[in-house]
Amino acid sequence: MNVTACKVCGNEYDKPITVKVDGESNVYDCFECAIHDLAPTCTHCRVKIVGHGVEADGEMFCGAHCAGQSGIETLRDRA
Ligand SMILES: [Zn+2]
Ligand SMILES: [Zn+2]
């Protein structure tokens, strides 16, 4: 059996989650580890963005509020 260690915590699990990013396979034992590694971080409040989030000037924010706090005022949350 091909057991692969989680990229984040090193746990070995026989049913890993594989996520391809830019053609490169990343292996995780659980979604929590995948989110930890792959989810972008809000530039303002450092929270992990697991929903839509907003992008402005190449920066990721968890919402328009944080973008506004960072001086970007043209964004609105998608209703
Ligand atoms: Zn893990
Ligand atoms: Zn934020």
Side-chain angles (χ1 to χ4, degrees):
M1 196 187 296
N2 188 14
V3 177
T4 313
C6 172
K7 187 183 166 192
V8 173
C9 69
N11 187 32
E12 291 187 355
Y13 186 50
D14 63 0
K15 294 182 187 65
I17 299 159
T18 304
V19 181
K20 275 200 174 161
V21 180
D22 295 331
E24 198 183 320
S25 290
N26 297 285
V27 179
Y28 308 98
D29 62 334
C30 64
F31 278 114
E32 190 179 355
C33 286
I35 288 167
H36 175 82
D37 194 44
L38 296 175
T41 306
C42 175
T43 303
H44 184 70
C45 72
R46 298 323 219 179
V47 85
K48 286 283 180 190
I49 303 166
V50 295
H52 281 296
V54 293
E55 190 176 353
D57 293 342
E59 313 254 43
M60 289 296 296
F61 299 95
C62 62
H65 175 77
C66 279
Q69 293 288 304
S70 294
I72 294 160
E73 285 163 11
T74 54
L75 284 166
R76 296 263 165 82
D77 276 316
R78 273 180 276 188

